[in-house]
Amino acid sequence: MADPRPEAQRPLDPDEEALVRALGQVMYVVPRTIDADMVGDRQLPLTEYTALMNLSEAPERRMRMHELANACYLSLSGMTRTIIRLESQGLVKRERCEEDARGWNAVLTDAGFARLEESWPSHLAAVRRRFLRHFEGLDLAELARAFRRAGAAD
Amino acid sequence: MADPRPEAQRPLDPDEEALVRALGQVMYVVPRTIDADMVGDRQLPLTEYTALMNLSEAPERRMRMHELANACYLSLSGMTRTIIRLESQGLVKRERCEEDARGWNAVLTDAGFARLEESWPSHLAAVRRRFLRHFEGLDLAELARAFRRAGAAD
DNA sequence: CGTAAGCAATTGCTCAATCAAGCAACTATG
DNA sequence: CATAGTTGCTTGATTGAGCAATTGCTTACG
């Protein structure tokens, strides 16, 4: 990380500076407001919604733990605990993996699928209201590419 | 033919969808990598850096707790504890507010200022590497406005 | 004035996330 | 085919954050 070459230390130009100062809004405020909307509306925290949603899109509605952890931007241990919470609500169950007995699949139950169907409108509304509508008129596809680049390791 | 669904539930178009799916990268991955870079490089978590930085820009290098909490996107109680951590390292001190004895000012010490001077290149590098460079060629000023709109409380 | 209402900040508690350590199962090598 | 090393996941300990209750000061009103 430490690479204190002069070039790297050139001060930000005003537009860069404005963007960096505004970054906190998207890093901190947006996730909290979306989560608060979901919890207030459907009692389903964003982390748990994200897990259910990823499972619902997977083949046979099941995923290995590390796969799901990645998809949810969570550590493996964080994912274990999230699945425990969902399991205790009957929304997910765990099944040993056929091909590798070390592995587990998190599997969406019918109750989990129902919970998701009941909750997605709330998530959609929150995402529109707290995020998407503020980007009208911008090139969303290009922006999406930039977001993905920023998240890619290096 | 008219779509009978309420407007708010209209599905996302592909570009919107791509952006929403990429949002997690900026909400979750970017802050963690910037923080990890700062901690690895200068032992200074991003939250604490942000507090020092805001203080350094304030008149007399001092701010009221709730002001600073807002600037750092933190609750007041979260800010109290951050200041306690900084105070225990001698980087900040607390002084009763002259005009209102209920209030306290967090004041940057010389040691705190020195810590900041030693750390900002690391922060700048992290922000460039993990965020800014992926947005080259986009209209940064417009993007900054969109970020600020997204964070503004309705 | 004097008391009720309100505000600034801190404290107690809880919770979700991390890292590090542990356990169980798989794989590769001599 | 034994065993050393690796991998997949869980568990234990810790941390940083938020909310709700509390403390101490200020202000507004009768």
Side-chain angles (χ1 to χ4, degrees):
Chain A
M1 228 317 289
D3 182 18
R5 283 172 308 175
E7 214 289 310
Q9 287 181 33
R10 176 178 46 78
L12 299 173
D13 72 39
D15 286 350
E16 288 175 326
E17 167 119 13
L19 185 59
V20 168
R21 285 183 186 272
L23 175 58
Q25 305 285 343
V26 172
M27 288 194 312
Y28 302 126
V29 181
V30 169
R32 279 176 220 169
T33 52
I34 292 176
D35 182 69
D37 284 357
M38 297 280 301
V39 170
D41 207 36
R42 312 263 30 128
Q43 314 279 32
L44 188 63
L46 181 55
T47 302
E48 298 179 16
Y49 177 87
T50 304
L52 296 182
M53 201 211 57
N54 276 285
L55 287 176
S56 79
E57 292 178 346
E60 299 183 82
R61 294 184 185 163
R62 72 182 51 220
M63 286 173 87
R64 293 287 290 271
M65 293 300 290
H66 74 266
E67 245 188 314
L68 187 54
N70 274 335
C72 296
Y73 308 107
L74 223 56
S75 69
L76 193 50
S77 69
M79 196 72 245
T80 294
R81 294 180 153 114
T82 300
I83 288 297
I84 288 170
R85 288 195 297 275
L86 290 170
E87 207 174 22
S88 73
Q89 302 170 68
L91 305 179
V92 158
K93 60 183 192 284
R94 271 183 288 192
E95 290 180 1
R96 270 225 119 88
C97 179
E98 306 272 291
E99 314 83 58
D100 185 340
R102 288 170 303 181
W104 292 85
N105 283 297
V107 188
L108 191 64
T109 62
D110 290 346
F113 193 77
R115 187 89 164 91
L116 188 62
E117 291 219 291
E118 152 208 298
S119 304
W120 70 256
S122 176
H123 178 255
L124 180 54
V127 162
R128 277 221 166 88
R129 179 161 127 88
R130 303 301 189 174
F131 175 65
L132 217 37
R133 75 183 167 98
H134 304 291
F135 291 77
E136 263 174 32
L138 282 80
D139 183 340
L140 302 189
E142 178 160 40
L143 202 47
R145 281 191 297 276
F147 279 24
R148 283 194 300 268
R149 280 195 301 269
D154 277 61
Chain B
M1 208 159 327
D3 186 336
R5 274 170 300 199
E7 162 63 19
Q9 288 181 28
R10 179 177 46 77
L12 299 173
D13 72 40
D15 287 350
E16 288 175 326
E17 167 120 12
L19 184 58
V20 168
R21 284 183 187 272
L23 175 57
Q25 306 284 344
V26 173
M27 288 194 312
Y28 302 127
V29 180
V30 169
R32 279 176 218 168
T33 51
I34 292 176
D35 182 70
D37 285 355
M38 297 282 299
V39 170
D41 206 37
R42 312 263 32 127
Q43 314 279 32
L44 187 62
L46 182 55
T47 303
E48 297 179 17
Y49 177 86
T50 305
L52 296 182
M53 201 211 55
N54 276 286
L55 287 175
S56 79
E57 293 179 345
E60 298 182 83
R61 294 185 185 162
R62 70 182 53 220
M63 287 173 85
R64 293 288 291 271
M65 293 299 291
H66 73 267
E67 240 189 318
L68 187 54
N70 275 334
C72 297
Y73 309 107
L74 225 56
S75 69
L76 193 50
S77 69
M79 196 71 245
T80 294
R81 297 190 216 266
T82 300
I83 289 298
I84 288 170
R85 289 195 296 275
L86 291 170
E87 206 174 22
S88 73
Q89 300 170 68
L91 306 179
V92 158
K93 60 183 191 283
R94 272 183 288 192
E95 289 179 0
R96 269 225 121 90
C97 179
E98 305 274 292
E99 313 84 58
D100 184 340
R102 289 170 303 183
W104 291 83
N105 283 297
V107 188
L108 190 64
T109 62
D110 289 347
F113 193 78
R115 188 87 163 91
L116 188 62
E117 292 219 291
E118 152 208 298
S119 304
W120 70 256
S122 177
H123 178 255
L124 180 55
V127 162
R128 278 221 164 89
R129 179 160 126 89
R130 303 301 189 173
F131 176 65
L132 218 38
R133 76 184 166 99
H134 305 291
F135 290 79
E136 263 174 34
L138 282 80
D139 182 341
L140 302 189
E142 176 157 40
L143 203 46
R145 282 191 295 276
F147 279 24
R148 284 194 300 268
R149 281 195 300 270
D154 276 61

